Amino acid sequence: MDQATPHPHFEPFRGSNQAPLDPESEADIIVIGAGPAGLATAACLVQAGHSPLVLDRANDVASSWRHHYTRLHLHTVKTHSALPGMDFPDDAPRYVPRQGVVDYLVAYARRHGIEPEFGQTVTAIEPRQGPGAPWQVALGNGRLMSANHVVVATGANQRPRMPTLPGEDVYQGRLLHSRSYRNAAPFAGRRVLVVGMGNTGAEIALDLVENGVRAALSVRSPVNIVHREVMGRPSQLSSIQLSKLPTPLGDALATLLRNLTVGDLRRHGLRTPAISPLRQLREQGKTPVIDVGTLHRIVSGDIHVYPGVQTLTSGGVRFTDGTVHPFDAVLLATGYDAALSELFPYTPLPLDGTGLPTTLSGEGPLEGLHFVGFDMRQPGGLLRTIAQQAPRVAERIGQRQSRAARGQRSV
Ligand SMILES: Cc1cc2nc3c(=O)[nH]c(=O)nc-3n(C[C@H](O)[C@H](O)[C@H](O)COP(=O)(O)OP(=O)(O)OC[C@H]3O[C@@H](n4cnc5c(N)ncnc54)[C@H](O)[C@@H]3O)c2cc1C
């Protein structure tokens, strides 16, 4: 079947080994995902008098945060990371630790009376042909549901991006994605190469060396780096303020601030892009590295920066500069995909080049579909963006329902 052709029902999605479908049930609003985006949207809907059904494939809220590496703290300040209707506790530190985020999300769901159905993996979402609620949602357990509104809050970081490295078949060491990393303990006494210097790669390399593991980074492209704070002022707040200035001025000041505080790192193996951190975020959706100490370890020589990986060898890595170095483990901090097309096998979505939706609420044939938590181009962090998107989606759903009710009365 052609991607653009709506299919008559869900049979094509179902593998032959799946249980028979339950009779279809209907919900007015289905929210998929009980992470920050799903919980925030559900809370705003509840506040507006709706009763959304929240589904999550995990067994508890905040599953992503439960599985992140142990040392993780928010890079964004707690006052600009809270979801609508509930602040972080007064005694929480400015940068909330991972477990504090989990506790906050658990308390948030409780506060708003959100009781997700867990263990419910959505496998496909498609428009319905004919009468009834316009969206059908298929679950992995064979359940089939329909809804007037579907809020997709499955997260931008769903599927680990695993580039295939030449030489993987001969490499004798351990090759893993950063998603599997929890702490440095399993790497004690090993030489570890972290491939990629986004926020995750930078922080895992730091975690390794702080715990006595010999770690290096492989960085093939120029990287925008900003300190988490400059003279006590969080960079998150500076970026929000700079983004409100006329664009060329904001970009120029962001570049100046970066150059003055981080400087030229070429002799440490790091190139700085010509594009300002603010513009790179706005145009490419790429968050700068918010430095929490990695830079100091690079400058002091504790973390060596190598160029890109050319090939793995049996005992290590050959880099693009021709040098070969031994490594016992190669950890790919190469990011994630949202993998949304898999949820919509027959419905073309408005996605950007990185596979993220370019719309918050669908129009025309996509009316009733909403995507919360995928706009990575806003300054100030994704949690802040989620906190802004959730009430807008709740409002939009309310407006559409009022229109539908008026339409029914006038018939
Ligand atoms: C390491 C890391 C650090 C971050 N730090 C910050 C920070 O400091 N500040 C900030 O603002 N942002 C930060 N972010 C970005 C962002 O705020 C978080 O990723 C946040 O968890 C996004 O919330 P979400 O609800 O969109 O996605 P998630 O938290 O990933 O939640 C998605 C939920 O959907 C469920 N789900 C997925 N697919 C399905 C399916 N098919 N069926 C049913 N359920 C499904 C998952 O089980 C999950 O519970 C960070 C991200 C990462 C990865």
Side-chain angles (χ1 to χ4, degrees):
M1 189 186 278
D2 160 27
Q3 266 263 320
T5 311
H7 57 88
H9 52 71
F10 266 162
E11 287 306 316
F13 296 126
R14 304 178 57 241
S16 53
N17 58 348
Q18 285 182 298
L21 289 176
D22 290 341
E24 182 175 324
S25 53
E26 191 162 317
D28 183 24
I29 307 167
I30 293 179
V31 176
I32 308 169
L39 294 177
T41 312
C44 293
L45 286 164
V46 169
Q47 285 296 109
H50 303 285
S51 305
L53 173 66
V54 182
L55 304 173
D56 200 295
R57 65 184 175 195
N59 295 321
D60 218 328
V61 303
S63 67
S64 302
W65 283 88
R66 289 174 196 275
H67 293 101
H68 287 323
Y69 48 92
T70 314
R71 75 163 275 143
L72 180 68
H73 287 61
L74 287 179
H75 287 159
T76 50
V77 297
K78 66 173 181 175
T79 43
H80 282 71
S81 305
L83 302 178
M86 190 173 133
D87 291 338
F88 279 94
D90 288 343
D91 60 356
R94 183 183 247 187
Y95 300 100
V96 179
R98 186 192 64 84
Q99 187 57 46
V101 177
V102 174
D103 295 343
Y104 169 80
L105 292 172
V106 170
Y108 186 86
R110 200 176 304 126
R111 161 84 68 93
H112 293 95
I114 303 164
E115 293 180 358
E117 285 192 25
F118 293 111
Q120 305 289 332
T121 302
V122 171
T123 52
I125 306 162
E126 287 301 326
R128 175 209 282 283
Q129 303 295 294
W135 290 99
Q136 287 187 303
V137 174
L139 302 178
N141 55 11
R143 203 169 151 200
L144 185 60
M145 307 195 68
S146 59
N148 293 313
H149 292 272
V150 175
V151 178
V152 182
T154 48
N157 297 315
Q158 269 326 295
R159 197 180 46 206
R161 209 177 285 150
M162 290 283 282
T164 308
L165 297 176
E168 268 183 29
D169 47 337
V170 296
Y171 181 56
Q172 307 277 309
R174 189 170 166 208
L175 183 63
L176 71 162
H177 189 270
S178 59
R179 172 165 279 191
S180 317
Y181 182 87
R182 295 286 170 277
N183 58 54
F187 301 95
R190 308 277 167 87
R191 295 157 299 191
V192 183
L193 179 71
V194 179
V195 177
M197 191 181 177
N199 277 297
T200 298
E203 196 162 354
I204 289 178
L206 177 64
D207 194 40
L208 288 165
V209 294
E210 280 184 346
N211 288 286
V213 177
R214 281 174 291 166
L217 277 161
S218 163
V219 185
R220 67 176 179 191
S221 310
V223 202
N224 261 315
I225 303 174
V226 297
H227 292 297
R228 187 173 68 176
E229 292 191 353
V230 174
M231 293 197 293
R233 182 176 171 72
S235 290
Q236 179 199 17
L237 303 186
S238 304
S239 79
I240 293 169
Q241 288 199 321
L242 291 175
S243 71
K244 292 179 181 159
L245 296 174
T247 307
L249 179 61
D251 284 344
L253 288 176
T255 302
L256 183 67
L257 191 64
R258 176 199 65 196
N259 293 351
L260 286 176
T261 55
V262 172
D264 185 349
L265 298 167
R266 273 176 297 184
R267 71 197 166 95
H268 303 291
L270 289 171
R271 289 170 294 142
T272 306
I275 191 169
S276 83
L278 208 55
R279 191 163 149 215
Q280 192 171 34
L281 179 73
R282 190 173 62 239
E283 293 182 358
Q284 300 167 10
K286 194 163 180 187
T287 311
V289 173
I290 317 281
D291 182 53
V292 291
T294 312
L295 213 45
H296 173 70
R297 294 295 193 141
I298 289 173
V299 171
S300 70
D302 292 342
I303 300 175
H304 189 85
V305 178
Y306 294 99
V309 173
Q310 187 178 73
T311 178
L312 301 184
T313 64
S314 64
V317 176
R318 172 175 289 113
F319 293 97
T320 50
D321 62 1
T323 59
V324 181
H325 299 275
F327 290 102
D328 306 302
V330 173
L331 194 148
L332 301 174
T334 40
Y336 295 88
D337 290 317
L340 281 176
S341 300
E342 289 171 13
L343 283 181
F344 292 87
Y346 297 96
T347 305
L349 297 178
L351 302 178
D352 68 11
T354 60
L356 296 174
T358 52
T359 183
L360 181 58
S361 291
E363 309 267 356
L366 300 183
E367 178 89 46
L369 267 191
H370 311 269
F371 299 92
V372 181
F374 297 99
D375 184 355
M376 315 288 280
R377 293 164 191 258
Q378 304 306 319
L382 192 53
L383 290 171
R384 179 173 177 266
T385 304
I386 287 170
Q388 293 168 341
Q389 290 183 329
R392 284 167 54 202
V393 165
E395 193 184 347
R396 171 89 186 223
I397 290 175
Q399 284 167 351
R400 185 158 174 252
Q401 291 193 327
S402 309
R403 268 206 318 273
R406 278 200 303 275
Q408 272 181 354
R409 275 201 300 276
S410 63
V411 175

